[in-house]
Each structure stands twice: as C-alpha cells, then as structure tokens.
Amino acid sequence: MLVWVMVGDLADWLLMDVDIWAWVGGTQRELHESGNTGLAMALGDVPAQALEGRYGQLDVVAPAIAKHAETLGQPWLELFARYWHLMGRVGDRANGAVALDDAASLVEFAQRDDVRDCPAAPAAVEVLVVTQSNTDGPGFAETRLAALGSALDGNGPESLAFPGLATQYVAALVDAGQPAEAVAYAETAVERLRGAERQASWELGAASARALLAAGRADDALTALDASTGFKPDDPVAKGRREALLRSMVLATLGRVEEAVEALPDLDVVGDHPREWVDWAHTVRLLASSGSIANTWQLGRILRQWITYFETMGGHRPRAELAVTAGHLAVGRQGLWQARLLADYAEAALGGLASGDELAARVAELRAAVDGATEPPAPGPADELVAYFDAADGRTADPERWVGWLWPLAGTDLEATRRHATTLGFLGYAPAGADIYWKTLVEDGDPAAASEEDVAYLTGLLIEAGQDDRVERLAAALPEGRSSLALARLYRARERWEETAAAAERAAGAGVGLEAARLWSGAAQQLGDNAKAAEILRPLLDSEEGEEEDIWRLIVLSTAIEDWATVRAAGIKLGMPVEPGGEPIEEEWHLVRVILPAPDGSQREVLAVRTGPATARLAIPQPRGMEYNAGDVVVIDPRPLEPIPEDEEGRESFVVPFAGVTMLRPGGYTSWFFDGAAPSEEEWAEFNEVLADRGWPMWVYSDENYRVTHPASGEQLPGVFGWIAIPPTVQPSALDAVLDDVTEQWSHPLAWLDLAREVGIEAERHERISKEYGL
C-alpha cells in the first residue's frame, strides 16, 4: 500500500507523465500476479532509489524492470527504467565517459517510433547532455547546445520536459563561455514558464545564479538564489545541500567569509555525492586562503580519493579541476611534493579534453606557486629522520610532512624508503610509492634477498597502483613459496578465485604459512566449496598459529557443511558453552537480527533466534517471493554488524545484528497475506494468542498510518495487514478455518484473499471485502 502512496507523490514532481505512472501501476499488478513480489514492490520505488542514493537496489532493480518491460513489449516502461538507472549513475554519482555509450543508446531508443511519443522521451536527451557535462563540460558545450536546442524546439513551456532541458541549456551556455547569454536565456525560460502558468524549478533558478556568478555578478547571483529558494525542486533530496553549497560559493566569492563558512555543507554531507565535489573543493580553497577553514593533510587525502574516483568514472574535466584545486591547497599547507604530483595528474588529464588551454594555464600557475613556495624544515638531521619518524605520535603526526622530509633519502636508504613509500600509499599516491619501492627492491636490489615485510609492502602498493604486470615480474624473481603468495594476493584483489586458490595452495605447500591458508580457504569458499575451505583451516584447531577470527571462520564454514564435531571443537577452543554430542546444535540462545538480501537488491532485517555459534532460526513470516521464511535455519557471520552499547540500559534493549551467510535448512513454511480494518485491542489479543498457541508465526507489516475505507460512511479507519506463516505439516485449509473462526465476531471483517482462492472457500466474500474497504 505504501508503494501506491509514494508513486502518487512522486508523480507530482518527477519528469514523468500520468500515462507512465499508469504503466507502472499496471506492471506492478502483473508482477504480483506472476509471483515476482520483489520487483513489484520495488518498481514504484525506482525514482526514489536514484535520488536517495540507494544504488545497490537501483543497479539490480532497474535493469531487471527494463528487461521485463522488453519481454512484455512495453517500451515506455523500458524507457522509465533505463532513464532512472542512468540518472542514478550520471546524476549524483557523476559518471562521465563510462556512461556515454549507454546515454547515447537511450537517446536512440527514445527516438524509436513506438517510444518518441512518450512525454518522457525528451528526458533521454537530458541524460546524455548531463553525461557529456560530467565528462568534459566545455569540450561538449556546442554538442550539448545543439541537442538541447533541437529538443526544446519540440517542447515548449507547457511540456513537463521543458524546465529540465532549459536548465541544461543554461549550463551548456556557461560552459561554452557565454555567461551573459546564459543569464538572458534563464530569465526568458522563467518568463515563458510563468506565461504558461507554471513555476520554474529550483534547479533552473540555481542555474541562473551560476550563470550570474560566471558573468562576474556575484551580488545578483545571491539575489537570484534567494528568489528561487521556494521553487519546487526536481530533486528534493539533494536540494538542501546543493543550495547550501551554491550559497557558500557565492558568499565566498563576495568575501563574506563568515557567512560562507556557516553555509558550507560539512564533508560528511557531501562526501557521498560526487556531483558536489568540484564546487565544494573550490569553495574550500577560497575559504582556506582566509584561514577560516582547516586545510589539513586529511583534506588532501580525501581530495586525492575524489580525483581517483573521477579518473575511474571518466570524469576528465572534474579530475583535472580537482587536481588543480587540491594542488593549490597542498601549497597552502607546504605539501609541495604533493602539489607537484597533482600538477602532473592535472596535466595528464588534459589529454582527455577537447580543449584544455585554459586548464593548461592554470596548471602552469600551480607549478609557479610550487616553485615560489618554501619547503618546511625537517625535524632533525637526515641520518636521524627514520628514528624521528618511528618516535612520532601516530595521532598527531602529519604524514604529508614526513613524505617530504623522507623524499631525499628514498631510494638510497631502505628503512627510509619503506616508510616513505608506504606513507605515500596511505595518502593515496600508491603509484609514486610503488615506483620508488620497485626501483629500490627490484631494479637496484635482489628481490629474492628482500625481507618478507618488504615484499608484502611492495606487493600491496603495486596492487593498489594497478601495476599487475610488475607483481607478476616480482613473483618471477622470488622463491617458489613467496612467489605464489605474491600472485595469490594479486588474484585475490582482482577476484580471480580459481587462480587465487591454485597460487595459495602452492604457497601453502611450500610452507609459507597462515596467510596462504587464509587466501586458499577464502578462494575455496568463493568457489562454493565450503568443505574444502573448512578443511584448509581445520589444522588450526591443534595449532597456536591461528587467531580468534580464523577459528570463527572455521565455525561458519563447518556449520555450512554441518560438521558439528568441528563446530563444537572450535567452540571449545574459543571457550564457548556448547553442549556436547554429535547431533546438530539446536539450542535457544537469544534474539538476533539477521541481515538478508531482498529480491530488489536491498537488504532485509529479520528477527531470529540464535540457535548456535553460527546459526539462527528466522522468526518472522516473509512475503511471498522471498527465498527464506519463518522457520528457516540460516548460517550467520558471528561478527556483529553494529557495536554493542556500552551502557547497561542500552544493552538490555539491543538486539545484535548479524549478516546472513547461507541457508542451512529450510523450514518449509508458507506465508499467507491478511488485510483489513484493525480490530479492537481485545480482538487483536485473542487473534495473537490463537496463532501463538499453534506455533504459527505472524507479523504485521503495516504501520500506524495505514488506513482503509468504511464501506458505508467512507470514513477512514485504522487498518492492518501482514503475513502468517504455517509449517509444511499444516494445510492451508486449517489456517482458513482458524482465521474464519477467530474473526467471525469482529466489527469489521478481515480479508485473506489469496488463501481463500487457494482452498476454494468463499473467495468471492474476500474479493468483496477487499473492494468495499479499498484494500
């Protein structure tokens, strides 16, 4: 029921026509009837998944819906799913070149004869130009203007597509170096909307403010932003932080530093939203120069991660922009080595731009700033720096400074090189650290004579830097056991499980030790061989070599294959009070929350009873279409997903969450849906008692906002819906009889339509109840 409410709300402000929502509703019903409950529940939620950042769900659900729509021959619905999936990628996640082909394909799809009349078809053009902007805004400016101009020719201010297309047209004009024209176009678009008795979107107002800022009219930009704050946003989830960030940037440009700092969203607000990163970093640079905001090595480390993200996503312009901004911030805190590397990174990104002349000049400006700055003095003589490094307080030491101080020693002194290279990796410069470490250990030294520690550090840096060929060359220069271990580390990082298992087995056979066994066991588990994975770790029961985490992992693996003797032996090793015997461990420990996957790509939290070290029996009925239900025994990972509260009061009400690993034994329960007006407290208590006496789990899925309609007066009544699960030994007819008996005297009847249809008893009555009460 909540899905329908949400769909109706979304239809008020999303770029989708009523006909599209009719398609959504109809397809939801089809999916329900075909037993595809997960997709049916998620379909109306797809736009919210894109806007709220629930990308794990979106990346599963949207392609599945698109495929289903293609199978059913419903191209408008396919457009709906593909559009929102792409918007989730190129909107908040700011995918660039990696999404260009998909965006172009969507435009081609929207131009098909059976799609082009869909009111949402122009949205495909919007997605494409956003993707081009993410890749290289100025470089694609003319292309974007041409595509948007063509789309706007056929979509006036009466069209739902107009505000979004106009917003992108303003942004393209700014990127084309025409801010004055962008301001004029935005003003005209707002007037055209007003003439059509429509209000501009907040995004269009914000685009106008950006254009004014680009035109050097910061005061007017602030006025425009204030005027648009009440406009309805296309993206209400993001509006708050985006408006605050734009306001902060304008205020910082005006020199109103205190107000800008106050308006600037915190890092934890923008950190998960790549679309905001370039503007946020630019604003921070403006404010840091005044000393009003901290410019720390932690900030530099985060900006380096963001640069890597854009590099991965094909955001060529954002990558270069961020590198230049981060470089100037690094100069400001005397991290000159970092500023030099960032200038190199920005320059490397210029090759992906259609025109990088302006950025090239800014890179040159950054290099000049580095050349004109002074290196911070080292804390002591060069031959004592390693000792100073080791004595430094890990909580207060500045790793950026230490990289600069150790740089002259790197490559000549092994101890200094190790600390220098690994610190570079920690700060996000693994390629630079790997190059220095590689030259020291491999080119100028003998890898076979290197310590295990140095080989492990170098291997880790090479893997992080993506230098797989060097890992293989390093492995070729090592003795057999260490060679195989290096390869196993590489294959594990790249999720090449068969190769991981083979290399780790060779390493273990050569006596390398515990890490090889862990890698081998983990790969075997990934390959679906829990028995082998457990066998590899089982010798740790009679050894002092393993750690507590290894024993817990052995418990999980042994539970999955029902090797209860090993589970008991491992429990004893950990000091757990497990009852002796050879039978399955079926105890009653305590309530837990088990986190399990849902068909829509999300996760469900299911209340359960922990029955052993790594098992739990689900206690809550699940809707049809789930792969698990009440009565199922599942294997859990015994590591809590949340910290246990420290205070006694918090611990009393805390139910520990654990990740579900795999199904151990299905209980065979079947769930049946009920729905209707909520009964009195006395009636409800009897209902619960009757079901509990029979051991039939029941769970209410509705909340206090759920309402049904009184068939006579039209009054809105509190409603209740949920699921009841019965074991395989109970026939559905028995549940039907019990429900009929216990609800017979209720003021308002309860409906269990699917169950009635299954048993063939009074299905018409339940259909009537559902219709009369609007269930």
Side-chain angles (χ1 to χ4, degrees), residues 43 54 72 103 125-126 150 189 240 255 298 305 326 353 369 429 431 515 517 520 597 599 620 624 630-631 657 689 757:
L43 177 56
R54 290 184 276 134
L72 294 177
V125 174
E126 181 185 357
S150 177
Q298 290 93 337
Q305 293 168 355
L353 304 180
Y429 296 88
E515 185 183 355
W520 185 12
I620 304 301
R624 292 288 188 91
E689 184 179 350
R757 286 172 174 169

PDB file of all heavy atoms in Angstrom, residues 43 54 72 103 125-126 150 189 240 255 298 305 326 353 369 429 431 515 517 520 597 599 620 624 630-631 657 689 757:
ATOM      1  N   LEU A  43       9.178  -1.499  -7.968  1.00  0.00           N
ATOM      2  CA  LEU A  43       9.003  -0.750  -9.203  1.00  0.00           C
ATOM      3  C   LEU A  43       8.727   0.726  -8.964  1.00  0.00           C
ATOM      4  O   LEU A  43       9.395   1.598  -9.521  1.00  0.00           O
ATOM      5  CB  LEU A  43       7.878  -1.382 -10.033  1.00  0.00           C
ATOM      6  CG  LEU A  43       7.509  -0.669 -11.336  1.00  0.00           C
ATOM      7  CD1 LEU A  43       8.724  -0.528 -12.226  1.00  0.00           C
ATOM      8  CD2 LEU A  43       6.417  -1.436 -12.055  1.00  0.00           C
ATOM      9  N   ARG A  54      20.211   5.030  -3.162  1.00  0.00           N
ATOM     10  CA  ARG A  54      20.162   3.593  -2.859  1.00  0.00           C
ATOM     11  C   ARG A  54      20.581   2.815  -4.117  1.00  0.00           C
ATOM     12  O   ARG A  54      19.800   2.121  -4.749  1.00  0.00           O
ATOM     13  CB  ARG A  54      18.757   3.216  -2.380  1.00  0.00           C
ATOM     14  CG  ARG A  54      18.437   3.786  -0.997  1.00  0.00           C
ATOM     15  CD  ARG A  54      17.086   3.335  -0.486  1.00  0.00           C
ATOM     16  NE  ARG A  54      16.014   4.170  -1.005  1.00  0.00           N
ATOM     17  CZ  ARG A  54      14.878   3.695  -1.503  1.00  0.00           C
ATOM     18  NH1 ARG A  54      14.696   2.394  -1.630  1.00  0.00           N
ATOM     19  NH2 ARG A  54      13.937   4.505  -1.923  1.00  0.00           N
ATOM     20  N   LEU A  72       7.703  -7.911 -22.184  1.00  0.00           N
ATOM     21  CA  LEU A  72       6.264  -7.671 -22.287  1.00  0.00           C
ATOM     22  C   LEU A  72       5.910  -6.770 -23.463  1.00  0.00           C
ATOM     23  O   LEU A  72       4.727  -6.554 -23.739  1.00  0.00           O
ATOM     24  CB  LEU A  72       5.754  -7.023 -20.995  1.00  0.00           C
ATOM     25  CG  LEU A  72       5.804  -7.871 -19.723  1.00  0.00           C
ATOM     26  CD1 LEU A  72       5.325  -7.051 -18.530  1.00  0.00           C
ATOM     27  CD2 LEU A  72       4.960  -9.127 -19.881  1.00  0.00           C
ATOM     28  N   ALA A 103      24.211   6.355 -22.489  1.00  0.00           N
ATOM     29  CA  ALA A 103      23.358   7.530 -22.640  1.00  0.00           C
ATOM     30  C   ALA A 103      22.984   7.742 -24.104  1.00  0.00           C
ATOM     31  O   ALA A 103      21.828   8.066 -24.427  1.00  0.00           O
ATOM     32  CB  ALA A 103      24.067   8.764 -22.082  1.00  0.00           C
ATOM     33  N   VAL A 125      17.512  12.956 -23.802  1.00  0.00           N
ATOM     34  CA  VAL A 125      18.471  13.987 -24.207  1.00  0.00           C
ATOM     35  C   VAL A 125      19.093  14.634 -22.975  1.00  0.00           C
ATOM     36  O   VAL A 125      20.309  14.904 -22.927  1.00  0.00           O
ATOM     37  CB  VAL A 125      17.781  15.052 -25.087  1.00  0.00           C
ATOM     38  CG1 VAL A 125      18.732  16.206 -25.390  1.00  0.00           C
ATOM     39  CG2 VAL A 125      17.269  14.424 -26.371  1.00  0.00           C
ATOM     40  N   GLU A 126      18.271  14.869 -21.975  1.00  0.00           N
ATOM     41  CA  GLU A 126      18.781  15.459 -20.732  1.00  0.00           C
ATOM     42  C   GLU A 126      19.865  14.578 -20.120  1.00  0.00           C
ATOM     43  O   GLU A 126      20.918  15.065 -19.694  1.00  0.00           O
ATOM     44  CB  GLU A 126      17.631  15.646 -19.740  1.00  0.00           C
ATOM     45  CG  GLU A 126      18.057  16.278 -18.424  1.00  0.00           C
ATOM     46  CD  GLU A 126      16.923  16.343 -17.423  1.00  0.00           C
ATOM     47  OE1 GLU A 126      15.792  15.952 -17.766  1.00  0.00           O
ATOM     48  OE2 GLU A 126      17.179  16.752 -16.283  1.00  0.00           O
ATOM     49  N   SER A 150      17.498  21.344 -30.293  1.00  0.00           N
ATOM     50  CA  SER A 150      16.585  20.522 -31.079  1.00  0.00           C
ATOM     51  C   SER A 150      15.449  19.997 -30.214  1.00  0.00           C
ATOM     52  O   SER A 150      14.279  19.999 -30.615  1.00  0.00           O
ATOM     53  CB  SER A 150      17.351  19.363 -31.718  1.00  0.00           C
ATOM     54  OG  SER A 150      16.484  18.516 -32.437  1.00  0.00           O
ATOM     55  N   ALA A 189      13.420  31.778 -20.001  1.00  0.00           N
ATOM     56  CA  ALA A 189      12.781  30.496 -19.696  1.00  0.00           C
ATOM     57  C   ALA A 189      11.823  30.633 -18.516  1.00  0.00           C
ATOM     58  O   ALA A 189      10.707  30.072 -18.531  1.00  0.00           O
ATOM     59  CB  ALA A 189      13.841  29.445 -19.394  1.00  0.00           C
ATOM     60  N   GLY A 240      18.640  20.642  -0.499  1.00  0.00           N
ATOM     61  CA  GLY A 240      19.180  21.309   0.683  1.00  0.00           C
ATOM     62  C   GLY A 240      20.686  21.490   0.614  1.00  0.00           C
ATOM     63  O   GLY A 240      21.212  22.595   0.795  1.00  0.00           O
ATOM     64  N   GLY A 255      33.462  37.567  -0.635  1.00  0.00           N
ATOM     65  CA  GLY A 255      34.309  37.885   0.509  1.00  0.00           C
ATOM     66  C   GLY A 255      33.573  37.879   1.835  1.00  0.00           C
ATOM     67  O   GLY A 255      34.137  38.307   2.851  1.00  0.00           O
ATOM     68  N   GLN A 298      44.415  15.522   6.098  1.00  0.00           N
ATOM     69  CA  GLN A 298      43.227  14.670   5.921  1.00  0.00           C
ATOM     70  C   GLN A 298      42.385  15.155   4.743  1.00  0.00           C
ATOM     71  O   GLN A 298      41.854  14.343   3.972  1.00  0.00           O
ATOM     72  CB  GLN A 298      42.387  14.666   7.197  1.00  0.00           C
ATOM     73  CG  GLN A 298      43.030  13.937   8.371  1.00  0.00           C
ATOM     74  CD  GLN A 298      43.817  14.854   9.274  1.00  0.00           C
ATOM     75  OE1 GLN A 298      44.252  15.936   8.855  1.00  0.00           O
ATOM     76  NE2 GLN A 298      44.001  14.452  10.526  1.00  0.00           N
ATOM     77  N   GLN A 305      41.369  10.896  -3.133  1.00  0.00           N
ATOM     78  CA  GLN A 305      40.419   9.814  -3.381  1.00  0.00           C
ATOM     79  C   GLN A 305      39.369  10.247  -4.397  1.00  0.00           C
ATOM     80  O   GLN A 305      38.973   9.464  -5.266  1.00  0.00           O
ATOM     81  CB  GLN A 305      39.750   9.397  -2.072  1.00  0.00           C
ATOM     82  CG  GLN A 305      40.684   8.736  -1.076  1.00  0.00           C
ATOM     83  CD  GLN A 305      40.081   8.591   0.311  1.00  0.00           C
ATOM     84  OE1 GLN A 305      38.973   9.067   0.568  1.00  0.00           O
ATOM     85  NE2 GLN A 305      40.798   7.955   1.214  1.00  0.00           N
ATOM     86  N   ALA A 326      43.200  20.913  -5.503  1.00  0.00           N
ATOM     87  CA  ALA A 326      43.906  20.212  -4.434  1.00  0.00           C
ATOM     88  C   ALA A 326      45.372  20.609  -4.400  1.00  0.00           C
ATOM     89  O   ALA A 326      45.999  20.686  -3.322  1.00  0.00           O
ATOM     90  CB  ALA A 326      43.768  18.706  -4.625  1.00  0.00           C
ATOM     91  N   LEU A 353      40.601  16.002 -22.830  1.00  0.00           N
ATOM     92  CA  LEU A 353      39.731  17.152 -23.033  1.00  0.00           C
ATOM     93  C   LEU A 353      39.791  17.631 -24.474  1.00  0.00           C
ATOM     94  O   LEU A 353      40.847  17.581 -25.127  1.00  0.00           O
ATOM     95  CB  LEU A 353      40.141  18.299 -22.107  1.00  0.00           C
ATOM     96  CG  LEU A 353      40.188  17.978 -20.609  1.00  0.00           C
ATOM     97  CD1 LEU A 353      40.619  19.204 -19.821  1.00  0.00           C
ATOM     98  CD2 LEU A 353      38.850  17.481 -20.113  1.00  0.00           C
ATOM     99  N   ALA A 369      53.376  28.439  -8.429  1.00  0.00           N
ATOM    100  CA  ALA A 369      53.146  28.591  -6.987  1.00  0.00           C
ATOM    101  C   ALA A 369      54.018  27.638  -6.198  1.00  0.00           C
ATOM    102  O   ALA A 369      54.550  28.002  -5.126  1.00  0.00           O
ATOM    103  CB  ALA A 369      51.669  28.348  -6.677  1.00  0.00           C
ATOM    104  N   TYR A 429      48.828   8.005  -2.970  1.00  0.00           N
ATOM    105  CA  TYR A 429      49.782   8.112  -4.075  1.00  0.00           C
ATOM    106  C   TYR A 429      50.548   6.803  -4.230  1.00  0.00           C
ATOM    107  O   TYR A 429      51.779   6.776  -4.300  1.00  0.00           O
ATOM    108  CB  TYR A 429      50.728   9.296  -3.830  1.00  0.00           C
ATOM    109  CG  TYR A 429      49.990  10.607  -3.821  1.00  0.00           C
ATOM    110  CD1 TYR A 429      49.425  11.102  -2.643  1.00  0.00           C
ATOM    111  CD2 TYR A 429      49.808  11.326  -4.994  1.00  0.00           C
ATOM    112  CE1 TYR A 429      48.707  12.286  -2.640  1.00  0.00           C
ATOM    113  CE2 TYR A 429      49.089  12.519  -4.996  1.00  0.00           C
ATOM    114  CZ  TYR A 429      48.546  12.991  -3.812  1.00  0.00           C
ATOM    115  OH  TYR A 429      47.824  14.163  -3.810  1.00  0.00           O
ATOM    116  N   PRO A 431      50.938   4.800  -6.821  1.00  0.00           N
ATOM    117  CA  PRO A 431      51.843   4.675  -7.972  1.00  0.00           C
ATOM    118  C   PRO A 431      53.220   5.286  -7.716  1.00  0.00           C
ATOM    119  O   PRO A 431      54.245   4.697  -8.076  1.00  0.00           O
ATOM    120  CB  PRO A 431      51.100   5.416  -9.088  1.00  0.00           C
ATOM    121  CG  PRO A 431      49.651   5.304  -8.713  1.00  0.00           C
ATOM    122  CD  PRO A 431      49.643   5.400  -7.218  1.00  0.00           C
ATOM    123  N   GLU A 515      48.957 -16.887   6.075  1.00  0.00           N
ATOM    124  CA  GLU A 515      48.321 -16.055   5.054  1.00  0.00           C
ATOM    125  C   GLU A 515      47.928 -16.877   3.833  1.00  0.00           C
ATOM    126  O   GLU A 515      46.859 -16.680   3.249  1.00  0.00           O
ATOM    127  CB  GLU A 515      49.229 -14.899   4.626  1.00  0.00           C
ATOM    128  CG  GLU A 515      48.533 -13.958   3.657  1.00  0.00           C
ATOM    129  CD  GLU A 515      49.426 -12.843   3.159  1.00  0.00           C
ATOM    130  OE1 GLU A 515      50.572 -12.726   3.629  1.00  0.00           O
ATOM    131  OE2 GLU A 515      48.965 -12.085   2.275  1.00  0.00           O
ATOM    132  N   ALA A 517      47.120 -20.043   3.790  1.00  0.00           N
ATOM    133  CA  ALA A 517      45.946 -20.842   4.147  1.00  0.00           C
ATOM    134  C   ALA A 517      44.678 -19.990   4.120  1.00  0.00           C
ATOM    135  O   ALA A 517      43.619 -20.436   3.637  1.00  0.00           O
ATOM    136  CB  ALA A 517      46.133 -21.460   5.526  1.00  0.00           C
ATOM    137  N   TRP A 520      43.775 -19.314   0.465  1.00  0.00           N
ATOM    138  CA  TRP A 520      43.307 -20.559  -0.155  1.00  0.00           C
ATOM    139  C   TRP A 520      41.889 -20.878   0.302  1.00  0.00           C
ATOM    140  O   TRP A 520      40.999 -21.171  -0.493  1.00  0.00           O
ATOM    141  CB  TRP A 520      44.282 -21.675   0.208  1.00  0.00           C
ATOM    142  CG  TRP A 520      44.022 -23.001  -0.446  1.00  0.00           C
ATOM    143  CD1 TRP A 520      43.179 -23.279  -1.469  1.00  0.00           C
ATOM    144  CD2 TRP A 520      44.634 -24.248  -0.090  1.00  0.00           C
ATOM    145  NE1 TRP A 520      43.213 -24.614  -1.780  1.00  0.00           N
ATOM    146  CE2 TRP A 520      44.106 -25.228  -0.944  1.00  0.00           C
ATOM    147  CE3 TRP A 520      45.581 -24.618   0.881  1.00  0.00           C
ATOM    148  CZ2 TRP A 520      44.487 -26.575  -0.860  1.00  0.00           C
ATOM    149  CZ3 TRP A 520      45.963 -25.942   0.959  1.00  0.00           C
ATOM    150  CH2 TRP A 520      45.429 -26.919   0.099  1.00  0.00           C
ATOM    151  N   PRO A 597      19.545 -10.717   1.999  1.00  0.00           N
ATOM    152  CA  PRO A 597      19.271  -9.993   0.746  1.00  0.00           C
ATOM    153  C   PRO A 597      17.801 -10.072   0.375  1.00  0.00           C
ATOM    154  O   PRO A 597      17.130 -11.066   0.643  1.00  0.00           O
ATOM    155  CB  PRO A 597      20.137 -10.728  -0.279  1.00  0.00           C
ATOM    156  CG  PRO A 597      20.267 -12.117   0.274  1.00  0.00           C
ATOM    157  CD  PRO A 597      20.307 -11.961   1.764  1.00  0.00           C
ATOM    158  N   PRO A 599      14.919  -9.460  -2.946  1.00  0.00           N
ATOM    159  CA  PRO A 599      14.933  -9.571  -4.408  1.00  0.00           C
ATOM    160  C   PRO A 599      15.187  -8.262  -5.128  1.00  0.00           C
ATOM    161  O   PRO A 599      15.621  -8.261  -6.272  1.00  0.00           O
ATOM    162  CB  PRO A 599      13.528 -10.102  -4.731  1.00  0.00           C
ATOM    163  CG  PRO A 599      13.061 -10.756  -3.481  1.00  0.00           C
ATOM    164  CD  PRO A 599      13.660  -9.968  -2.364  1.00  0.00           C
ATOM    165  N   ILE A 620      10.209 -14.479  11.777  1.00  0.00           N
ATOM    166  CA  ILE A 620       9.220 -13.570  11.200  1.00  0.00           C
ATOM    167  C   ILE A 620       8.764 -14.058   9.833  1.00  0.00           C
ATOM    168  O   ILE A 620       9.595 -14.335   8.955  1.00  0.00           O
ATOM    169  CB  ILE A 620       9.807 -12.150  11.060  1.00  0.00           C
ATOM    170  CG1 ILE A 620      10.318 -11.655  12.417  1.00  0.00           C
ATOM    171  CG2 ILE A 620       8.779 -11.205  10.496  1.00  0.00           C
ATOM    172  CD1 ILE A 620       9.266 -11.608  13.486  1.00  0.00           C
ATOM    173  N   ARG A 624       5.539 -13.513   0.118  1.00  0.00           N
ATOM    174  CA  ARG A 624       5.807 -14.440  -0.978  1.00  0.00           C
ATOM    175  C   ARG A 624       6.869 -13.852  -1.907  1.00  0.00           C
ATOM    176  O   ARG A 624       6.950 -12.644  -2.100  1.00  0.00           O
ATOM    177  CB  ARG A 624       4.530 -14.699  -1.775  1.00  0.00           C
ATOM    178  CG  ARG A 624       3.457 -15.463  -1.028  1.00  0.00           C
ATOM    179  CD  ARG A 624       3.851 -16.937  -0.844  1.00  0.00           C
ATOM    180  NE  ARG A 624       2.746 -17.713  -0.298  1.00  0.00           N
ATOM    181  CZ  ARG A 624       1.845 -18.342  -1.032  1.00  0.00           C
ATOM    182  NH1 ARG A 624       1.912 -18.281  -2.350  1.00  0.00           N
ATOM    183  NH2 ARG A 624       0.870 -19.023  -0.460  1.00  0.00           N
ATOM    184  N   ALA A 630       9.960 -17.683   7.827  1.00  0.00           N
ATOM    185  CA  ALA A 630       9.985 -18.113   9.227  1.00  0.00           C
ATOM    186  C   ALA A 630      10.222 -19.616   9.289  1.00  0.00           C
ATOM    187  O   ALA A 630       9.743 -20.371   8.451  1.00  0.00           O
ATOM    188  CB  ALA A 630       8.657 -17.759   9.894  1.00  0.00           C
ATOM    189  N   GLY A 631      10.975 -20.035  10.276  1.00  0.00           N
ATOM    190  CA  GLY A 631      11.275 -21.454  10.432  1.00  0.00           C
ATOM    191  C   GLY A 631      12.548 -21.897   9.755  1.00  0.00           C
ATOM    192  O   GLY A 631      13.083 -22.969  10.069  1.00  0.00           O
ATOM    193  N   PRO A 657      22.748  -7.365  15.420  1.00  0.00           N
ATOM    194  CA  PRO A 657      22.568  -7.730  14.010  1.00  0.00           C
ATOM    195  C   PRO A 657      23.754  -8.545  13.489  1.00  0.00           C
ATOM    196  O   PRO A 657      24.920  -8.237  13.785  1.00  0.00           O
ATOM    197  CB  PRO A 657      22.498  -6.376  13.313  1.00  0.00           C
ATOM    198  CG  PRO A 657      23.361  -5.484  14.151  1.00  0.00           C
ATOM    199  CD  PRO A 657      23.269  -5.985  15.573  1.00  0.00           C
ATOM    200  N   GLU A 689      -3.057 -14.687  20.334  1.00  0.00           N
ATOM    201  CA  GLU A 689      -2.975 -15.853  21.220  1.00  0.00           C
ATOM    202  C   GLU A 689      -3.304 -17.143  20.477  1.00  0.00           C
ATOM    203  O   GLU A 689      -2.614 -18.166  20.650  1.00  0.00           O
ATOM    204  CB  GLU A 689      -3.930 -15.659  22.396  1.00  0.00           C
ATOM    205  CG  GLU A 689      -3.857 -16.776  23.434  1.00  0.00           C
ATOM    206  CD  GLU A 689      -4.799 -16.551  24.600  1.00  0.00           C
ATOM    207  OE1 GLU A 689      -5.366 -15.430  24.694  1.00  0.00           O
ATOM    208  OE2 GLU A 689      -4.972 -17.479  25.412  1.00  0.00           O
ATOM    209  N   ARG A 757      -8.639 -18.211  -2.161  1.00  0.00           N
ATOM    210  CA  ARG A 757      -8.566 -18.743  -3.524  1.00  0.00           C
ATOM    211  C   ARG A 757      -7.852 -20.093  -3.538  1.00  0.00           C
ATOM    212  O   ARG A 757      -8.228 -21.004  -4.283  1.00  0.00           O
ATOM    213  CB  ARG A 757      -7.829 -17.755  -4.427  1.00  0.00           C
ATOM    214  CG  ARG A 757      -8.656 -16.513  -4.784  1.00  0.00           C
ATOM    215  CD  ARG A 757      -7.806 -15.493  -5.523  1.00  0.00           C
ATOM    216  NE  ARG A 757      -8.607 -14.361  -5.996  1.00  0.00           N
ATOM    217  CZ  ARG A 757      -8.073 -13.240  -6.484  1.00  0.00           C
ATOM    218  NH1 ARG A 757      -6.765 -13.099  -6.560  1.00  0.00           N
ATOM    219  NH2 ARG A 757      -8.863 -12.263  -6.897  1.00  0.00           N
TER     220      ARG A 757
END
